[in-house]
Short mmCIF file of all heavy atoms in Angstrom, two decimals:
data_model
loop_
_atom_site.label_atom_id
_atom_site.label_comp_id
_atom_site.label_asym_id
_atom_site.label_seq_id
_atom_site.Cartn_x
_atom_site.Cartn_y
_atom_site.Cartn_z
N ASN E 37 -37.36 -29.37 13.08
CA ASN E 37 -38.75 -29.65 13.42
C ASN E 37 -39.18 -28.79 14.62
O ASN E 37 -40.19 -29.03 15.23
CB ASN E 37 -38.99 -31.15 13.66
CG ASN E 37 -37.98 -31.70 14.62
OD1 ASN E 37 -37.35 -30.94 15.36
ND2 ASN E 37 -37.83 -33.03 14.63
N ALA E 62 -37.01 -15.32 6.21
CA ALA E 62 -38.24 -15.90 5.64
C ALA E 62 -38.40 -17.31 6.18
O ALA E 62 -37.43 -18.07 6.23
CB ALA E 62 -38.16 -15.93 4.11
N GLY E 76 -30.99 -1.55 8.39
CA GLY E 76 -30.20 -1.47 9.62
C GLY E 76 -29.80 -2.84 10.14
O GLY E 76 -29.81 -3.83 9.43
N LYS E 109 -35.24 -1.25 3.32
CA LYS E 109 -36.08 -2.43 3.59
C LYS E 109 -36.39 -3.19 2.29
O LYS E 109 -36.28 -4.41 2.22
CB LYS E 109 -37.37 -1.98 4.27
CG LYS E 109 -38.30 -3.11 4.59
CD LYS E 109 -39.52 -2.65 5.32
CE LYS E 109 -40.47 -3.82 5.46
NZ LYS E 109 -41.69 -3.47 6.15
N SER E 117 -41.11 -14.52 -3.96
CA SER E 117 -42.36 -14.50 -4.76
C SER E 117 -43.36 -15.34 -3.96
O SER E 117 -43.06 -15.75 -2.84
CB SER E 117 -42.10 -15.12 -6.12
OG SER E 117 -41.79 -16.50 -5.96
N ILE E 245 -28.84 -34.39 4.50
CA ILE E 245 -28.30 -33.40 3.57
C ILE E 245 -27.78 -34.15 2.34
O ILE E 245 -26.95 -35.07 2.45
CB ILE E 245 -27.13 -32.59 4.18
CG1 ILE E 245 -27.56 -31.93 5.50
CG2 ILE E 245 -26.66 -31.53 3.19
CD1 ILE E 245 -26.50 -31.09 6.18
N LYS E 266 -12.32 -22.51 22.34
CA LYS E 266 -12.70 -21.82 23.59
C LYS E 266 -12.61 -20.31 23.39
O LYS E 266 -13.04 -19.53 24.22
CB LYS E 266 -11.74 -22.20 24.72
CG LYS E 266 -11.68 -23.68 25.01
CD LYS E 266 -12.64 -24.02 26.14
CE LYS E 266 -12.58 -25.48 26.55
NZ LYS E 266 -12.68 -26.47 25.54
N GLU E 281 -9.46 -6.39 20.85
CA GLU E 281 -8.49 -6.96 19.90
C GLU E 281 -7.16 -6.21 19.93
O GLU E 281 -6.10 -6.81 19.79
CB GLU E 281 -9.14 -7.02 18.51
CG GLU E 281 -10.16 -8.15 18.46
CD GLU E 281 -11.28 -7.98 17.44
OE1 GLU E 281 -11.20 -7.06 16.62
OE2 GLU E 281 -12.23 -8.78 17.49
N LYS E 294 4.89 -18.78 19.76
CA LYS E 294 4.97 -20.11 20.36
C LYS E 294 4.69 -21.21 19.31
O LYS E 294 5.33 -22.25 19.29
CB LYS E 294 3.94 -20.21 21.49
CG LYS E 294 4.38 -21.11 22.61
CD LYS E 294 3.51 -20.94 23.81
CE LYS E 294 2.98 -22.30 24.19
NZ LYS E 294 1.66 -22.29 24.75
N VAL E 397 -3.18 -16.96 6.79
CA VAL E 397 -4.58 -16.63 7.10
C VAL E 397 -4.82 -16.73 8.59
O VAL E 397 -4.06 -17.35 9.32
CB VAL E 397 -5.56 -17.62 6.41
CG1 VAL E 397 -5.53 -17.48 4.91
CG2 VAL E 397 -5.27 -19.04 6.82
N GLY E 565 3.80 24.77 9.30
CA GLY E 565 2.65 24.90 10.20
C GLY E 565 1.99 23.58 10.59
O GLY E 565 0.99 23.57 11.31
N ASP E 594 15.61 -3.17 15.12
CA ASP E 594 14.97 -2.36 14.07
C ASP E 594 13.89 -3.12 13.30
O ASP E 594 12.84 -2.57 12.95
CB ASP E 594 16.01 -1.90 13.05
CG ASP E 594 16.87 -0.78 13.61
OD1 ASP E 594 16.58 -0.31 14.73
OD2 ASP E 594 17.84 -0.39 12.92
N TYR E 610 -8.63 4.69 17.07
CA TYR E 610 -9.73 4.26 17.94
C TYR E 610 -10.28 5.44 18.75
O TYR E 610 -11.49 5.65 18.84
CB TYR E 610 -9.22 3.16 18.89
CG TYR E 610 -10.25 2.72 19.88
CD1 TYR E 610 -11.13 1.68 19.58
CD2 TYR E 610 -10.40 3.35 21.11
CE1 TYR E 610 -12.11 1.29 20.48
CE2 TYR E 610 -11.38 2.97 22.02
CZ TYR E 610 -12.22 1.94 21.70
OH TYR E 610 -13.21 1.55 22.58
N VAL E 612 -9.94 8.75 18.20
CA VAL E 612 -10.57 9.79 17.38
C VAL E 612 -12.01 9.34 17.05
O VAL E 612 -12.97 10.09 17.20
CB VAL E 612 -9.77 10.06 16.08
CG1 VAL E 612 -10.49 11.10 15.22
CG2 VAL E 612 -8.35 10.53 16.38
#
Side-chain angles (χ1 to χ4, degrees):
N37 50 19
K109 180 177 173 180
S117 66
I245 305 181
K266 302 265 184 309
E281 286 155 9
K294 212 167 126 213
V397 294
D594 285 354
Y610 176 89
V612 177

